[in-house]
């Protein structure tokens, strides 16, 4: 059974840590299995939540927030989007402060006239103060035909409110994992500039 923690490894926090080690980051959830396997296979513990079947005490709040987030995205509503993002989050493979994340969302919508995003098949997973929403996301615009991807939002309760700490989708996660594999393969002392300098000094 895929553990909830595997979703945390999907986060670009892992990849970007290679370039942003000096910056503090939220503690990731434990991860011991493949991120992509968790993304592509519905876990047996997943629960479909709706206000009419609130198996999670936070179901009503979460479903309302999810719907408002989607509406704010479609309307490019900066003030409303700011209400749902954590102060620091991972947005499709990049670590961003809240203001930067909102700016990127607005720029994307502006660059795609007639942009519309719809969601379906929302499934939730719970663990302590975190909630994971998995869903099908269909996007289209005036010039772009509809495309559907498996997407996710990781919500964490901060100061009494659930905020989005990671937003992404399966195709992006797959690309990130591929990049991580390359980094792991090439991350050797010989590949580091400092190591090369030391080797040249030793030969002198």
């Amino acid at each position: 059974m895929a553990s909830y923690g595997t979703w945390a490894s999907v986060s670009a926090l892992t990849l970007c840590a290679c370039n942003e080690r000096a910056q503090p980051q939220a503690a990731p959830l434990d991860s011991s299995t493949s991120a992509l396997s968790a993304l592509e296979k519905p876990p047996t513990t997943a629960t479909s939540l709706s206000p009419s079947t609130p198996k999670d005490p936070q179901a009503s709040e979460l479903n309302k927030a999810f719907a408002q987030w989607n509406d704010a995205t479609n309307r490019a509503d900066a003030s409303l989007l700011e209400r749902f993002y954590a102060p620091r989050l991972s947005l499709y493979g990049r670590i961003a402060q809240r203001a930067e994340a909102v700016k990127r969302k607005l720029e994307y919508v502006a660059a795609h006239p007639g942009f519309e995003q719809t969601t379906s098949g929302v499934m939730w997973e719970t663990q302590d103060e975190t909630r994971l929403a998995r869903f099908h996301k269909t996007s289209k615009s005036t010039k772009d035909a509809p495309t559907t991807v498996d997407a996710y939002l990781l919500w964490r309760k901060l100061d009494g409110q659930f905020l989005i700490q990671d937003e992404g989708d399966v195709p992006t996660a797959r690309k990130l994992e591929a990049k991580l594999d390359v980094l792991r393969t090439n991350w050797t002392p010989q590949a580091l500039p400092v190591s090369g300098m030391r080797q040249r000094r030793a030969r002198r």
Side-chain angles (χ1 to χ4, degrees):
M1 179 174 66
S3 66
Y4 176 88
T6 57
W7 281 90
S9 63
V10 175
S11 171
L13 290 172
T14 306
L15 179 60
C16 293
C18 296
N19 298 322
E20 298 189 20
R21 290 176 177 172
Q23 300 187 31
Q25 298 180 12
L29 300 175
D30 292 334
S31 176
S32 57
T33 59
S34 169
L36 286 178
S37 65
L39 282 167
E40 296 168 346
K41 298 179 182 179
T44 57
T45 55
T47 302
S48 178
L49 301 181
S50 69
S52 60
T53 57
K55 296 183 178 181
D56 183 332
Q58 310 295 329
S60 180
E61 174 189 350
L62 289 163
N63 279 282
K64 180 179 179 180
F66 182 91
Q68 290 180 333
W69 161 81
N70 189 65
D71 181 59
T73 298
N74 284 327
R75 294 191 292 111
D77 188 329
S79 60
L80 188 55
L81 282 171
E82 288 176 352
R83 289 172 47 189
F84 297 116
Y85 287 124
R88 180 177 172 82
L89 66 144
S90 173
L91 185 69
Y92 295 94
R94 289 176 55 188
I95 301 300
Q97 302 296 327
R98 176 188 287 141
E100 179 187 353
V102 171
K103 179 182 178 182
R104 285 175 54 197
K105 296 278 286 190
L106 299 187
E107 289 177 343
Y108 183 87
V109 173
H112 296 78
F115 174 82
E116 181 182 3
Q117 170 181 292
T118 58
T119 63
S120 62
V122 184
M123 301 289 286
W124 293 88
E125 291 180 60
T126 67
Q127 180 177 317
D128 301 326
E129 296 299 299
T130 58
R131 300 291 188 274
L132 177 74
R134 288 196 280 173
F135 53 98
H136 303 305
K137 182 181 71 174
T138 300
S139 304
K140 65 178 182 178
S141 66
T142 303
K143 296 182 179 180
D144 301 312
T147 57
T148 301
V149 298
D150 291 328
Y152 63 89
L153 292 176
L154 181 67
W155 303 72
R156 187 182 298 276
K157 202 161 193 177
L158 302 170
D159 298 326
Q161 178 184 2
F162 280 104
L163 299 174
I164 297 170
Q165 198 168 51
D166 191 349
E167 176 180 339
D169 58 43
V170 171
T172 301
R174 185 178 290 113
K175 291 178 182 178
L176 290 175
E177 186 162 286
K179 289 180 180 180
L180 278 173
D181 288 340
V182 172
L183 286 173
R184 293 189 190 102
T185 301
N186 297 327
W187 193 260
T188 61
Q190 289 75 18
L192 298 177
V194 174
S195 177
M197 291 174 62
R198 289 173 178 170
Q199 291 176 0
R200 287 194 294 272
R201 289 173 181 173
R203 291 195 293 267
R204 291 178 181 176

